[in-house]
């Protein structure tokens, strides 16, 4: 102090200004640094706790239904939050349920010690890692515990950054203050005071959207710029947090929507299966009642209803199998020569009868062919093309009570065929047009009328059209009918068929000199096949399992053909076929089974099965396939 007393006023002023400037600068930086670091630490902690609680809350359903995969998918959302290093969900017993870690070096304990003692959220900062422990509870019931680890090294880095900046700026300000103290006290001190004022305002209000205008390019100007950048980083982190919360909410909504659709589908499927089964079992019961007074006409009508209900049930099962094949990527397209005109005429003739069965004789059904006098031959899958058009006509019949249904095709380009199915039914609005090709969706506007169906037909059409290399769309307005369009590639090929030849019309099969081995464990199924083959006068031998089939084949060397079931006790049809083919590779074996997936059919052909008939077995198809190998037909 004596030295200060003995120096000149000028130096005192310079010293005072220098000291004041230095102290002000230090204080300003200290306030900003402490506030920002505390704010950064608080934001890091608040964001970490909030996101941990959100993930924990979304995991209640997964813990309730023991859905490890769902919990892991929820934890994987932490990947979008850059500071989160790992996450782990433990069940209420402290056993690891699901986990997520950014790198493989991170260790996640398989057990949580004493989970009952964790009743509230805990956190700790240690070695640059923020650890959050939070109990997962809902309605005062504890489902488990979630633990997350967040990288908090940014706080240490920020402290070092502030110290370095403060040292550099302080050194520059001391020199500048010493040189320009007398004339520039205000320009030097005022910006610091403004910065200090803004810092206090931010600390008090917590509003990080404010900006301080940079008025110079000196150290104070740089300080202003860094300060603005710091505020922008805080805003960016808040925006990132808000975006993460939004994504989590959207994921939750999608999951809930998917769950609702599946629940509605299962309920609808139960209805669609039970309805035809009710008719089948009900009318069968009526026909077998001993004291029944049913007339012959009523009996024939009941049998027809049973047959139609069985076909409806079979079509529903086929739709379920097809959608399963599509989802598994196992549905195969088999390109063949396809006469488009003939295919559409076959469909037309079939649906002329079907519309009568459905009680819709008043609907005008028409088919429009291009170049009727020619055979339009293309390379595609005729079975799938027929399935697409049939599904669209079924859909039109369902929603059309009167008016017309027309279908046909035209050449859109030289290499594209455009097919269409139009009706005068109830139509639909724009919103529903965007939903009808989704799985499990059913459009039912008319609450006074129930429209049957599982909501799979149009989804199958869309998938099949895309597999054939085309696209499908609909044009429709409420009350004005609907027009479905789809395209497939047109690969013109030469018609190599002999038009003079026509297949013989078989009226009677006679195989009285033939011996047929039937491997079938179900008595009812064997009785059915026996009844179908009774009029052929073929000699039948029954095996109740694959092992007995092999033994009987060895015993009877003059067997001409084998009808083989696949699923049988002791030895299945695949293994029996393998052993029989090893004894005689030329013996025809016809598989008849409820296994209808391509992988099972392909397996049968690889083992030597000659033909494959899926249950339920159609009598005409069975006789036709057998005739290919027995070859004795009386016309």
């Amino acid at each position: 102090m004596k030295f200060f007393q003995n120096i000149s006023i000028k130096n005192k002023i310079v010293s005072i200004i220098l000291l004041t400037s230095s102290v002000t600068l230090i204080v300003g930086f200290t306030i900003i640094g402490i506030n920002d670091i505390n704010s950064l630490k608080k934001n890091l902690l608040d964001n970490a706790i909030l996101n941990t609680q959100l993930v924990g809350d979304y995991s209640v359903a997964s813990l309730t239904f023991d859905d490890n995969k769902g919990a892991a998918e929820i934890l994987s959302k932490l990947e979008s939050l850059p500071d989160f290093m790992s996450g782990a969900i433990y069940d209420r017993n402290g056993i690891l349920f699901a986990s997520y870690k950014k790198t493989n070096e991170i260790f996640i304990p398989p057990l949580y010690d004493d989970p009952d003692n964790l009743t509230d959220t805990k956190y700790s900062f240690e070695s640059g890692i923020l650890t959050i422990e939070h109990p997962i509870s809902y309605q005062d019931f504890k489902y488990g515990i979630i633990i997350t680890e967040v990288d908090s090294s940014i706080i240490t880095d920020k402290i070092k950054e502030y110290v370095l900046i403060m040292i550099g700026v302080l050194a520059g300000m001391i020199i500048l203050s010493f040189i320009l103290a007398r004339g520039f006290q205000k320009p030097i001190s005022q910006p610091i005071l403004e910065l200090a004022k803004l810092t206090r305002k931010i600390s008090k209000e917590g509003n990080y959207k404010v900006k301080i205008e940079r008025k110079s390019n000196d150290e104070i100007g740089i300080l202003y710029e860094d300060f603005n950048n710091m505020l922008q980083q805080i805003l960016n982190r808040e925006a990132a947090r808000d975006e993460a919360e939004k994504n989590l909410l959207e994921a939750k909504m999608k999951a809930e929507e998917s769950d609702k659709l599946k629940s509605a589908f299962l309920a609808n499927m139960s209805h669609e299966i039970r309805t035809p089964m009710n008719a089948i079992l009900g009318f069968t019961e009526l026909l077998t009642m001993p004291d029944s007074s049913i007339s012959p006409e009523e009996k024939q009508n009941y049998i027809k209803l049973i047959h139609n209900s069985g076909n409806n049930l079979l079509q529903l099962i086929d739709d379920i199998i097809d959608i399963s094949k599509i989802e598994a990527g196992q549905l195969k397209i088999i390109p063949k020569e396809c006469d488009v005109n003939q295919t559409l005429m076959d469909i037309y003739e079939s649906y002329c009868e079907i519309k009568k069965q459905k009680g819709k004789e008043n609907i005008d059904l028409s088919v429009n062919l291009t170049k009727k006098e020619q055979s339009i031959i293309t390379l595609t899958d005729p079975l799938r093309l027929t399935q697409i058009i049939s599904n669209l006509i079924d859909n039109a019949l369902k929603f059309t009570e009167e008016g017309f249904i027309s279908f046909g095709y035209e050449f859109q380009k030289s290499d594209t065929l455009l097919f269409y199915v139009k009706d005068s039914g109830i139509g639909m609005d724009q919103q529903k047009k965007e939903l009808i090709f989704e799985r499990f969706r059913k459009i039912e506007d008319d609450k006074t009328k129930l429209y049957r169906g599982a909501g799979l037909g149009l989804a199958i059409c869309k998938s099949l059209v895309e597999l054939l290399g085309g696209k499908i769309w609909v044009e429709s307005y409420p009350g004005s009918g609907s027009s479905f369009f789809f395209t497939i590639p047109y690969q013109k090929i030469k018609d190599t068929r002999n038009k003079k030849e026509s297949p013989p019309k078989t009226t009677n099969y006679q195989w009285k000199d033939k011996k047929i081995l039937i491997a079938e464990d179900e008595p009812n199924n064997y009785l059915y096949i026996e009844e179908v083959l009774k009029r052929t006068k073929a000699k039948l031998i029954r095996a109740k399992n694959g092992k007995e089939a092999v033994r009987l084949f060895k015993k009877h060397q003059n067997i001409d053909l084998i009808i083989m079931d696949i699923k049988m006790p002791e030895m299945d049809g695949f293994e029996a076929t393998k052993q029989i083919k090893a004894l005689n590779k030329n013996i025809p074996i016809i598989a008849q089974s409820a296994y209808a997936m391509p992988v099972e059919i392909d397996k049968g052909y690889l083992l030597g099965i000659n033909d494959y008939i899926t249950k339920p077995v159609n009598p005409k198809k069975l006789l036709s396939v057998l005739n290919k190998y027995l070859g004795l037909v009386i016309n």
Side-chain angles (χ1 to χ4, degrees):
M1 292 298 294
K2 288 183 178 180
F3 172 77
F4 187 78
Q5 291 175 353
N6 295 328
I7 63 174
S8 64
I9 298 297
K10 175 182 177 181
N11 290 334
K12 285 183 179 179
I13 296 174
V14 171
S15 298
I16 292 171
I17 294 175
L18 181 61
L19 181 61
T20 304
S21 300
S22 300
V23 171
T24 303
L25 184 62
I26 292 172
V27 171
F29 259 108
T30 301
I31 294 173
I32 295 172
I34 292 174
N35 180 70
D36 184 59
I37 290 168
N38 288 336
S39 178
L40 179 63
K41 184 175 181 180
K42 184 177 182 301
N43 286 338
L44 180 66
L45 178 61
D46 290 345
N47 291 342
I49 291 176
L50 177 60
N51 287 309
T52 300
Q53 291 174 344
L54 284 173
V55 173
D57 292 342
Y58 295 154
S59 304
V60 169
S62 300
L63 286 166
T64 303
F65 297 102
D66 202 21
D67 184 8
N68 303 75
K69 183 177 179 182
E73 289 180 356
I74 294 173
L75 279 176
S76 68
K77 301 300 181 180
L78 295 175
E79 186 177 4
S80 63
L81 305 175
D83 294 331
F84 278 79
M85 305 299 294
S86 67
I89 295 176
Y90 296 85
D91 63 19
R92 61 183 302 184
N93 297 317
I95 300 174
L96 184 62
F97 187 76
S99 64
Y100 158 78
K101 53 185 178 180
K102 184 170 289 187
T103 61
N104 293 329
E105 289 77 15
I106 298 175
F107 172 72
I108 297 177
L111 296 173
Y112 182 87
D113 294 333
D114 201 6
D116 295 332
N117 282 342
L118 184 65
T119 58
D120 202 356
T121 303
K122 294 171 53 179
Y123 68 90
S124 62
F125 288 90
E126 185 176 348
S127 302
I129 298 297
L130 168 60
T131 302
I132 306 294
E133 300 178 28
H134 174 69
I136 303 174
S137 302
Y138 180 71
Q139 293 184 348
D140 297 329
F141 182 81
K142 186 175 180 181
Y143 290 86
I145 295 171
I146 179 170
I147 299 178
T148 59
E149 292 185 346
V150 181
D151 183 5
S152 63
S153 60
I154 187 173
I155 298 175
T156 305
D157 295 338
K158 202 66 177 179
I159 294 173
K160 293 178 181 178
E161 180 184 348
Y162 271 110
V163 172
L164 292 175
I165 293 175
M166 185 173 67
I167 292 172
V169 173
L170 181 61
M173 286 301 298
I174 290 173
I175 297 173
L176 185 62
S177 298
F178 181 79
I179 297 173
L180 303 175
R182 293 183 177 180
F184 297 95
Q185 299 94 335
K186 187 175 181 179
I188 293 173
S189 60
Q190 189 65 32
I192 297 176
L193 294 174
E194 290 179 359
L195 183 59
K197 181 180 179 181
L198 181 62
T199 302
R200 288 191 295 271
K201 182 179 179 181
I202 294 173
S203 178
K204 182 179 180 180
E205 299 178 359
N207 181 16
Y208 296 98
K209 293 183 179 181
V210 297
K211 297 291 182 181
I212 185 167
E213 183 181 356
R214 179 174 178 174
K215 298 178 180 180
S216 63
N217 293 323
D218 57 7
E219 289 83 348
I220 296 178
I222 296 173
L223 178 62
Y224 281 13
E225 187 67 27
D226 289 342
F227 185 77
N228 288 334
N229 291 337
M230 177 187 65
L231 295 177
Q232 186 60 47
Q233 289 178 12
I234 294 173
L235 290 174
N236 291 341
R237 291 192 184 98
E238 289 184 345
R241 181 198 63 191
D242 294 341
E243 183 66 23
E245 292 175 358
K246 179 182 177 182
N247 292 337
L248 287 173
L249 289 174
E250 289 178 354
K252 178 185 177 183
M253 292 176 64
K254 289 181 180 179
E256 291 174 348
E257 176 69 13
S258 176
D259 183 64
K260 289 179 181 178
L261 284 175
K262 289 182 180 179
S263 298
F265 170 74
L266 291 175
N268 183 56
M269 190 60 63
S270 175
H271 175 268
E272 294 301 318
I273 291 175
R274 291 176 182 275
T275 298
M277 285 300 299
N278 180 66
I280 293 171
L281 297 176
F283 285 116
T284 302
E285 185 71 21
L286 286 176
L287 291 173
T288 56
M289 290 175 62
D291 56 346
S292 174
S293 59
I294 299 173
S295 65
E297 292 78 10
E298 289 176 327
K299 181 177 180 181
Q300 290 299 319
N301 188 41
Y302 291 168
I303 293 173
K304 185 178 180 180
L305 289 171
I306 293 172
H307 182 264
N308 291 340
S309 297
N311 284 334
N312 291 337
L313 187 60
L314 179 60
Q315 183 178 357
L316 177 61
I317 294 171
D318 287 340
D319 284 347
I320 296 173
I321 292 174
D322 280 343
I323 206 70
S324 300
K325 290 178 185 177
I326 291 168
E327 288 187 343
Q330 293 183 346
L331 193 143
K332 296 181 179 179
I333 296 298
I334 305 174
K336 297 179 181 178
E337 291 184 9
C338 176
D339 187 334
V340 179
N341 286 342
Q342 185 60 49
T343 298
L344 265 62
M345 283 304 302
D346 291 343
I347 295 173
Y348 171 75
E349 293 174 0
S350 174
Y351 274 90
C352 284
E353 181 61 30
I354 291 175
K355 73 170 186 173
K356 294 179 182 179
Q357 297 174 4
K358 292 179 178 290
K360 295 193 176 184
E361 298 93 335
N362 60 317
I363 295 177
D364 181 22
L365 179 66
S366 62
V367 58
N368 303 311
L369 306 178
T370 300
K371 300 181 180 179
K372 298 180 181 179
E373 68 281 358
Q374 299 182 18
S375 294
I376 306 300
I377 310 297
T378 186
L379 187 64
T380 189
D381 190 327
L383 175 64
R384 297 307 176 186
L385 177 61
T386 300
Q387 184 178 359
I388 295 168
I389 298 174
S390 297
N391 279 356
L392 294 177
I393 297 176
D394 283 333
N395 188 74
L397 281 171
K398 183 193 304 183
F399 294 104
T400 304
E401 297 299 329
E402 59 182 13
F404 70 91
I405 297 175
S406 66
F407 66 99
Y409 74 100
E410 61 186 41
F411 285 92
Q412 188 180 45
K413 298 178 182 177
S414 60
D415 60 348
T416 303
L417 292 176
L418 174 65
F419 292 84
Y420 60 86
V421 176
K422 302 179 180 180
D423 64 66
S424 59
I426 63 175
M428 69 192 81
D429 57 30
Q430 179 63 34
Q431 182 181 4
K432 294 179 175 58
K433 287 194 290 185
E434 298 173 357
L435 301 176
I436 57 173
F437 293 110
E438 295 182 12
R439 289 189 293 272
F440 314 139
R441 292 281 190 177
K442 287 186 69 179
I443 307 302
E444 297 184 355
D445 289 328
D446 187 356
K447 301 302 181 181
T448 64
K449 182 177 176 59
L450 175 64
Y451 294 100
R452 298 286 306 282
L456 297 176
L458 293 179
I460 292 173
C461 286
K462 182 176 184 293
S463 298
L464 291 179
V465 168
E466 291 173 351
L467 287 173
L468 291 176
K471 62 179 181 178
I472 187 170
W473 68 95
V474 61
E475 296 177 0
S476 180
Y477 298 95
S480 301
S482 302
S483 298
F484 285 84
F485 301 90
F486 71 91
T487 61
I488 63 170
Y490 174 53
Q491 302 180 42
K492 184 178 180 180
I493 57 177
K494 186 178 180 181
D495 188 2
T496 58
R497 300 170 300 170
N498 188 347
K499 298 181 180 180
K500 294 182 179 180
E501 295 181 357
S502 59
K505 296 182 179 179
T506 60
T507 58
N508 191 23
Y509 298 91
Q510 290 294 312
W511 302 321
K512 62 181 179 179
D513 297 328
K514 300 295 181 180
K515 185 179 291 186
I516 300 175
L517 172 62
I518 302 174
E520 174 58 69
D521 61 311
E522 289 289 340
N524 292 338
N525 290 343
Y526 174 78
L527 181 62
Y528 171 72
I529 296 175
E530 182 183 41
E531 190 65 29
V532 172
L533 298 180
K534 181 182 294 185
R535 63 192 179 95
T536 69
K537 299 181 180 179
K539 183 178 180 181
L540 305 182
I541 303 173
R542 183 192 177 189
K544 297 182 180 179
N545 54 63
K547 191 173 183 179
E548 187 178 357
V550 175
R551 181 180 62 79
L552 290 174
F553 182 77
K554 291 178 180 179
K555 181 178 179 181
H556 301 274
Q557 295 295 324
N558 59 341
I559 290 175
D560 297 288
L561 184 141
I562 300 174
I563 299 175
M564 182 73 72
D565 188 21
I566 299 301
K567 186 177 180 180
M568 294 184 292
E570 296 193 40
M571 180 186 293
D572 64 20
F574 288 141
E575 181 61 27
T577 297
K578 182 179 178 181
Q579 294 189 19
I580 291 173
K581 284 290 184 177
L583 298 173
N584 183 357
K585 65 179 181 179
N586 295 320
I587 182 71
I589 299 180
I590 312 301
Q592 54 96 25
S593 174
Y595 286 121
M597 298 300 286
V599 63
E600 301 291 343
I601 297 175
D602 292 343
K603 180 180 179 181
Y605 285 132
L606 288 174
L607 291 173
I609 287 176
N610 298 85
D611 245 309
Y612 206 106
I613 303 174
T614 56
K615 293 179 180 179
V617 178
N618 181 278
K620 293 181 180 179
K621 183 174 182 180
L622 177 62
L623 292 171
S624 176
V625 171
L626 296 184
N627 186 62
K628 286 165 54 179
Y629 300 94
L630 297 177
L632 293 177
V633 180
I634 299 176
N635 295 324

